C-alpha cells in the first residue's frame, strides 16, 4: 500500500528536498502552503505536478484539522516556521506563534483527527545557543540566544510532552545548520555565495557581513532530509542530533567561496554593525553518533563540496540573469 506524507513548509529549502526524496521512495506527497497572493513555488517547480497542494496555516488549528482530514497522511513532517534567526528579534511574537505554538496546534489537530500518523518536528541547533558542552548531543542542556531559539525549544519540548502524555509516535530532529543552492538569500551562507558570484561577474563590488567569528556545523540539506525520513521508520519515537561533527567559521566559509572563483575575500568583505545580532551564538558543533548507530545515517557531502555546489549554482543563476 502506498504511503502518504504531509509536509508543512513545503516551499522552503527543506520542504522541497524532502518532497523530492519522498516521491523517489514512492510516496504520495501532500504539501501545505499558506494562502497568499505571492506564494513562491520556485523550489518545487520541477515536481509541482506530482504533489497535492493544500492550503492551511499553523496559526489556524481548524485549517490544520481540515488539511489532515482531507489528506489522511501516514507521516507528517512539520517544517513550517518563521525560520530566520535575525528576523526573530524584529518579530518575536510572530516567531513564538508560528515556530512555537504552531507545533502545539499541529499536534492537537493530529489528536483531534484521531490519526495514527507518525510525526516529525523540525528542531534546531539554535536551541543550544550559549553551549554548555562541546560537542552537543541529544542530552545537552538548551540555552537559546534568540527568540527563534526560544520558540524552537518550546516546539521541541511540546513534542516530547505529547509523545509521553498521549503515546504519539512523535520525533524531533535537532538539525544543525544545513545549506544548499535553495537556501534563502537572507541566510549568511547563501548571501556569501550569491555575492561571490555577482562580484566575479562584475555585478557587485563588496559583501557586507556581521560577525565573522561564529562557528557552525554546516551540512547539505539534501543529506539531512533522509535523516528526517529515517526517524519516522523507527519502531520507537525518539530525538536525534543531525550534524556533520565538523565546525567552520563564517570567515572560513568566505575564504573558500571567494577562493573558488580566484578572488581574495579580504578585498571585498566589509563588516557592518547592522548585521550583528543582539546576542550571538559563538560555537555550534553536533555529535551525530546516535543517528549513525540507530538510523544508519551519515552525511555524504563535505563542507568543501557544499560551498562549491552553492557557488557554482549562483554563478549559473547570475550568468543567466545577466544574459
Amino acid at each position: 500500500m502506498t504511503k502518504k506524507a504531509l509536509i508543512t513548509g513545503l516551499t522552503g529549502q527543506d520542504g522541497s528536498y524532502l518532497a523530492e526524496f519522498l516521491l523517489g521512495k514512492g510516496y504520495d506527497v501532500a504539501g501545505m502552503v499558506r494562502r497568499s497572493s505571492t506564494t513562491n513555488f520556485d523550489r518545487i517547480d520541477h515536481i509541482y505536478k506530482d504533489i497535492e497542494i493544500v492550503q492551511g496555516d499553523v496559526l489556524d488549528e481548524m485549517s490544520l484539522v481540515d488539511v489532515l482530514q482531507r489528506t489522511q497522511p501516514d507521516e507528517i513532517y512539520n517544517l513550517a516556521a518563521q525560520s530566520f534567526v535575525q528576523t526573530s528579534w524584529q518579530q518575536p511574537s510572530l516567531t513564538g506563534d508560528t515556530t512555537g505554538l504552531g507545533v502545539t496546534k499541529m499536534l492537537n489537530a493530529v489528536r483531534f483527527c484521531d490519526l495514527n500518523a507518525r510525526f516529525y518536528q523540525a528542531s534546531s541547533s539554535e536551541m543550544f545557543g550559549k553551549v554548555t558542552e562541546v560537542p552537543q548531543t541529544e542530552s545537552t542542556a538548551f540555552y537559546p540566544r534568540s527568540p527563534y531559539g526560544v520558540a524552537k525549544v518550546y516546539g521541541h519540548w511540546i513534542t516530547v510532552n505529547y509523545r509521553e502524555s498521549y503515546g504519539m509516535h512523535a520525533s524531533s530532529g535537532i538539525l544543525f545548520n544545513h545549506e544548499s543552492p535553495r537556501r534563502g538569500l537572507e541566510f549568511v551562507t547563501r548571501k556569501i555565495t550569491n555575492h561571490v558570484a555577482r562580484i566575479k561577474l562584475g555585478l557587485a563590488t563588496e559583501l557586507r557581513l556581521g560577525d565573522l567569528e561564529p562557528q557552525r556545523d554546516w551540512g547539505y540539506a539534501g543529506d539531512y532530509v533522509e535523516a528526517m525520513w529515517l526517524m519516522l521508520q523507527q519502531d520507537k519515537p525518539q530525538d536525534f542530533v543531525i550534524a556533520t561533527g565538523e565546525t567552520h567559521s563564517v570567515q572560513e566559509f568566505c575564504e573558500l567561496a571567494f577562493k573558488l572563483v580566484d578572488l581574495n575575500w579580504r578585498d571585498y568583505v566589509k563588516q557592518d554593525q547592522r548585521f550583528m545580532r543582539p546576542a550571538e551564538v559563538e560555537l555550534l558543533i553536533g555529535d551525530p553518533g546516535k543517528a549513525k548507530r540507530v538510523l544508519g545515517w551519515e552525511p555524504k557531502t563535505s563542507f568543501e563540496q557544499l560551498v562549491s555546489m552553492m557557488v557554482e549554482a549562483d554563478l549559473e543563476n547570475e550568468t543567466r540573469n545577466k544574459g
Side-chain angles (χ1 to χ4, degrees):
M1 184 176 173
T2 302
K3 283 187 177 180
K4 180 130 186 209
L6 171 67
I7 303 170
T8 71
L10 171 72
T11 58
Q13 170 190 254
D14 292 7
S16 67
Y17 280 111
L18 180 60
E20 275 180 352
F21 178 85
L22 293 174
L23 288 170
K25 289 285 183 184
Y27 278 65
D28 287 338
V29 176
M32 190 181 87
V33 298
R34 282 177 298 167
R35 173 72 181 91
S36 170
S37 59
T38 58
T39 302
N40 187 343
F41 291 109
D42 286 354
R43 293 186 179 100
I44 59 166
D45 265 350
H46 59 299
I47 53 174
Y48 182 84
K49 68 181 185 301
D50 301 316
I51 299 171
E52 178 187 356
I53 304 296
V54 290
Q55 291 182 356
D57 195 315
V58 293
L59 298 180
D60 183 346
E61 198 166 317
M62 286 311 297
S63 78
L64 300 179
V65 169
D66 180 61
V67 166
L68 292 172
Q69 288 178 334
R70 280 195 286 145
T71 57
Q72 295 289 307
D74 301 291
E75 296 173 5
I76 300 164
Y77 296 86
N78 188 40
L79 311 184
Q82 190 299 100
S83 59
F84 188 42
V85 176
Q86 191 73 27
T87 296
S88 74
W89 273 287
Q90 281 80 54
Q91 300 180 343
S93 296
L94 177 66
T95 301
D97 287 342
T98 55
T99 307
L101 286 174
V103 186
T104 310
K105 294 179 189 294
M106 194 73 200
L107 289 165
N108 276 336
V110 174
R111 288 191 62 234
F112 179 86
C113 294
D114 197 24
L115 290 176
N116 189 30
R118 298 188 172 191
F119 182 86
Y120 171 83
Q121 167 59 16
S123 289
S124 167
S125 59
E126 288 285 332
M127 300 188 305
F128 295 121
K130 189 174 181 180
V131 298
T132 57
E133 65 177 352
V134 178
Q136 292 87 57
T137 70
E138 292 79 7
S139 60
T140 301
F142 299 139
Y143 194 145
R145 298 269 281 171
S146 66
Y148 170 80
V150 172
K152 278 293 185 183
V153 170
Y154 178 93
H156 179 86
W157 280 118
I158 200 67
T159 302
V160 172
N161 185 258
Y162 272 55
R163 177 171 73 211
E164 295 178 350
S165 300
Y166 303 113
M168 298 177 72
H169 194 296
S171 299
S172 286
I174 306 173
L175 271 58
F176 280 64
N177 293 65
H178 45 291
E179 317 298 321
S180 76
R182 298 180 194 173
R183 193 54 140 158
L185 288 167
E186 69 272 22
F187 290 86
V188 68
T189 50
R190 182 73 196 291
K191 181 178 179 179
I192 292 169
T193 60
N194 178 257
H195 275 75
V196 164
R198 290 178 60 78
I199 289 168
K200 181 65 176 179
L201 295 171
L203 300 172
T205 58
E206 65 178 15
L207 165 60
R208 291 188 170 271
L209 296 172
D211 196 346
L212 301 179
E213 295 182 2
Q215 298 177 61
R216 295 291 184 270
D217 186 325
W218 274 305
Y220 172 48
D223 293 343
Y224 284 34
V225 297
E226 180 186 19
M228 300 177 187
W229 174 75
L230 285 168
M231 288 180 215
L232 296 199
Q233 310 317 304
Q234 306 305 304
D235 292 334
K236 175 187 173 186
Q238 50 192 310
D239 306 325
F240 293 89
V241 162
I242 304 300
T244 68
E246 294 181 10
T247 189
H248 300 274
S249 68
V250 175
Q251 181 174 314
E252 284 180 78
F253 198 108
C254 282
E255 288 176 2
L256 179 55
F258 277 95
K259 185 178 180 182
L260 286 166
V261 296
D262 300 315
L263 295 175
N264 185 336
W265 72 279
R266 294 183 185 278
D267 295 334
Y268 303 98
V269 175
K270 305 287 188 292
Q271 285 193 277
D272 191 325
Q273 287 295 321
R274 289 178 301 165
F275 302 114
M276 298 289 188
R277 294 180 179 180
E280 185 56 83
V281 175
E282 300 298 341
L283 170 65
L284 291 174
I285 178 170
D287 177 358
K290 181 182 176 183
K292 182 177 181 180
R293 290 191 310 273
V294 179
L295 303 178
W297 179 87
E298 289 185 90
K300 302 179 180 70
T301 309
S302 70
F303 176 71
E304 291 76 15
Q305 289 171 323
L306 172 65
V307 178
S308 178
M309 176 197 311
M310 292 177 69
V311 169
E312 287 176 13
D314 273 321
L315 277 170
E316 287 181 17
N317 289 338
E318 292 300 329
T319 301
R320 185 162 53 252
N321 293 340
K322 185 181 180 182

